[in-house]
Amino acid sequence: MADAQLLELRLFTVKPGMREEFDRVSREGTVPLMRKIGITVVAHGPSLYDEDTYYLLRAFDDEKQRTELGASLYEQPEWEQYDEPVGAMMAAYSTVVFPMSTEAIKHMAEFGA
């Protein structure tokens, strides 16, 4: 697909009663850190479907960038303060990666972030 990026969708199953705190940590900590190191966070937030799901949409130019920036995130000194608390709030997560036009991603970012 010409003029496409990779869109990564992460779905987090958060332990019961933890979603509000997970959202706060995401908004105030992990998402700003991702953006600081160059990860394009398209949208994130609580699912409208159930009380224990949270989503994160990130865009990357290619798989190499996705892998390198993802690894870089966990090497940041600031990440250390989030690693254990975030892990303790999660029951599970899954990741799906697929191509999408850059224009569609920009439109989603206007709507979702």
Side-chain angles (χ1 to χ4, degrees):
M1 178 185 299
D3 192 34
Q5 291 182 284
L6 293 182
L7 189 63
E8 176 192 78
L9 168 61
R10 286 198 172 185
L11 291 175
F12 301 95
T13 302
V14 182
K15 292 178 182 173
M18 300 300 302
R19 192 173 74 171
E20 186 174 317
E21 178 64 5
F22 192 89
D23 182 45
R24 185 193 68 76
V25 170
S26 296
R27 283 183 289 104
E28 296 176 6
T30 60
V31 169
L33 180 58
M34 288 179 213
R35 288 179 170 146
K36 176 182 168 186
I37 67 165
I39 294 175
T40 301
V41 176
V42 178
H44 63 96
S47 170
L48 300 177
Y49 177 69
D50 66 48
E51 296 178 4
D52 299 325
T53 303
Y54 195 89
Y55 70 92
L56 172 66
L57 281 172
R58 306 188 305 182
F60 300 93
D61 292 338
D62 52 36
E63 182 59 24
K64 181 179 181 212
Q65 183 189 51
R66 188 180 85 84
T67 302
E68 289 175 356
L69 286 176
S72 172
L73 175 65
Y74 303 116
E75 295 169 359
Q76 299 300 309
E78 299 96 326
W79 182 258
E80 197 171 304
Q81 66 186 307
Y82 305 118
D83 191 29
E84 190 174 316
V86 167
M89 288 186 266
M90 291 187 328
Y93 80 92
S94 60
T95 303
V96 177
V97 179
F98 51 95
M100 182 168 279
S101 75
T102 301
E103 187 64 31
I105 292 171
K106 286 179 184 176
H107 184 71
M108 289 173 70
E110 290 172 9
F111 178 75

